[in-house]
């Protein structure tokens, strides 16, 4: 005999598939991933502050930092820009000014041998040597000379390397963050769809803006906007997911019978 009584939430395997009703083991798995990725995101922001954020010699990320990092400072050399920026604290002012003056005077090799090489050996070669990996090698005059030329920002080779690393790495991060967030319920469809899709669009705009800024400094604003957009999207999905897993269920004191994937 058929009845019109609605089935219990657990009578159908597709019901109750959401963050509120998941078992504690699934919540711990998701929360561990979200927490670890959040810490990594903060570390990445800190790294940006200490690299790009010092390009203009002042702490904190600004429009000029983006321009100097990708387009360059065409009024000075790469070496001078670093000595006045991210490398400013690594040598006494007197030594920094001596190197900068040497660069501006034409980077003469004889003067390098007598005055500049001892400074480089004392303050730079400990990190900038042949075994430094990604850092430039300043142990020889020929290598150092390359960085005394006009600062044109990031090289195309560097942009290719960093672009493919970011595209693959960040897209994987947002795939899993978005997957966890997709199990949320009660979020307006419009906001849910935007939160899942926008990080990928912001990522592509961010990468494209690096290349465009390399050609023209006016595009630097898009680097800042795209990076901010990714951060907001990440924070929104992270907060909603953690809230529904650990707070919402305890506030309601009951499970949610909705299917987050098939019923939005």
């Amino acid at each position: 005999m058929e009845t019109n009584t609605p089935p219990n939430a657990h009578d159908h395997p597709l019901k109750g598939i959401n963050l509120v009703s998941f078992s504690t083991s699934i919540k711990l798995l998701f929360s561990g991933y979200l927490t670890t990725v959040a810490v990594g995101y903060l570390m990445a922001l800190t790294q940006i502050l200490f690299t790009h954020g010092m390009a203009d010699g002042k702490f904190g990320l600004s429009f000029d930092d983006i321009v100097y990092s990708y387009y360059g400072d065409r009024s000075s050399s790469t070496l001078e820009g670093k000595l006045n920026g991210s490398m400013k604290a690594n040598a006494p002012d007197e030594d920094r000014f001596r190197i900068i003056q040497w660069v501006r005077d034409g980077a003469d090799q004889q003067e390098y041998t007598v005055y500049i090489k001892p400074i480089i050996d004392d303050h730079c070669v400990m990190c900038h040597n042949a075994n430094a990996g990604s850092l430039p090698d300043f142990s020889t005059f020929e290598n150092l000379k390359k960085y005394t030329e006009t600062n044109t920002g990031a090289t195309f080779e560097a942009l290719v390397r960093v672009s493919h690393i970011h595209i693959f790495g960040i897209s994987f991060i947002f795939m899993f963050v978005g997957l966890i967030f997709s199990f949320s319920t009660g979020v307006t469809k419009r906001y849910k769809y935007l939160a899942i899709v926008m990080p990928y669009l912001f990522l592509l705009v961010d990468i494209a803006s690096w290349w465009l800024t390399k050609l023209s400094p006016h595009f630097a604003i898009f680097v800042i906007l795209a990076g901010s957009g990714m951060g907001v999207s990440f924070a929104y999905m992270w907060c909603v997911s953690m809230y529904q897993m650990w707070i919402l269920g305890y506030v309601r004191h009951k499970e949610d019978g909705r299917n987050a994937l098939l019923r939005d």
Side-chain angles (χ1 to χ4, degrees):
M1 180 177 179
E2 295 184 358
T3 65
N4 293 325
T5 304
N8 184 274
H10 295 288
D11 291 342
H12 195 288
L14 294 180
K15 289 192 173 183
I17 306 298
N18 55 66
L19 293 176
V20 175
S21 303
F22 278 142
S23 65
T24 301
S25 59
I26 297 298
K27 292 180 180 180
L28 289 173
L29 176 65
F30 286 174
S31 299
Y33 174 79
L34 290 175
T35 301
T36 304
V37 170
V39 173
Y41 207 108
L42 292 176
M43 292 297 101
L45 293 177
T46 303
Q47 190 266 344
I48 290 174
L49 286 178
F50 283 100
T51 52
H52 295 306
M54 287 294 294
D56 62 354
K58 303 175 184 178
F59 185 77
L61 192 63
S62 66
F63 181 86
D64 287 338
D65 288 322
I66 303 299
V67 173
Y68 293 161
S69 296
Y70 296 105
Y71 180 77
D73 181 3
R74 305 300 171 93
S75 64
S76 67
S77 66
T78 301
L79 185 58
E80 181 177 346
K82 289 295 184 181
L83 289 172
N84 286 327
S86 58
M87 297 292 107
K88 187 174 183 178
N90 292 349
D93 289 343
E94 182 179 354
D95 290 339
R96 288 193 306 107
F97 295 152
R98 187 63 182 266
I99 296 174
I100 291 172
Q101 190 60 53
W102 168 72
V103 172
R104 293 180 178 179
D105 290 341
D108 178 72
Q109 185 170 5
Q110 184 176 355
E111 186 177 351
Y112 162 83
T113 303
V114 177
Y115 300 108
I116 304 304
K117 190 177 187 304
I119 299 175
I120 299 296
D121 290 341
D122 288 342
H123 302 292
C124 306
V125 173
M126 63 185 71
C127 296
H128 293 272
N129 53 63
N131 300 318
S134 61
L135 295 177
D137 178 14
F138 288 167
S139 60
T140 66
F141 171 78
E142 290 73 18
N143 289 337
L144 185 64
K145 176 71 174 178
K146 300 174 184 177
Y147 295 90
T148 65
E149 300 172 355
T150 302
N151 181 5
T152 57
T155 64
F156 286 108
E157 292 81 0
L159 286 177
V160 170
R161 182 180 67 255
V162 178
S163 294
H164 94 268
I165 292 174
H166 276 71
I167 289 175
F168 284 126
I170 296 178
S171 62
F172 270 109
I173 290 174
F174 277 111
M175 182 183 73
F176 291 112
V177 172
L179 176 62
I180 295 172
F181 173 74
S182 67
F183 288 107
S184 62
T185 55
V187 180
T188 304
K189 287 184 180 181
R190 179 186 306 173
Y191 297 139
K192 191 172 185 179
Y193 297 162
L194 284 175
I196 292 174
V197 171
M198 291 308 293
Y200 299 102
L201 298 179
F202 282 129
L203 175 60
L204 294 176
V205 172
D206 187 37
I207 301 299
S209 299
W210 299 352
W211 291 84
L212 293 173
T213 304
K214 172 67 178 174
L215 302 176
S216 173
H218 301 294
F219 290 99
I221 187 63
F222 292 103
V223 178
I224 297 176
L225 293 176
S228 300
M230 278 193 292
V232 171
S233 299
F234 178 85
Y236 176 73
M237 290 191 288
W238 193 94
C239 291
V240 169
S241 299
M242 295 294 279
Y243 171 74
Q244 292 203 0
M245 282 190 290
W246 299 109
I247 298 178
L248 187 59
Y250 295 98
V251 171
R252 290 180 173 177
H253 299 292
K254 64 179 181 179
E255 295 181 350
D256 190 339
R258 289 174 291 183
N259 185 301
L261 295 182
L262 300 183
R263 302 174 65 183
D264 299 318

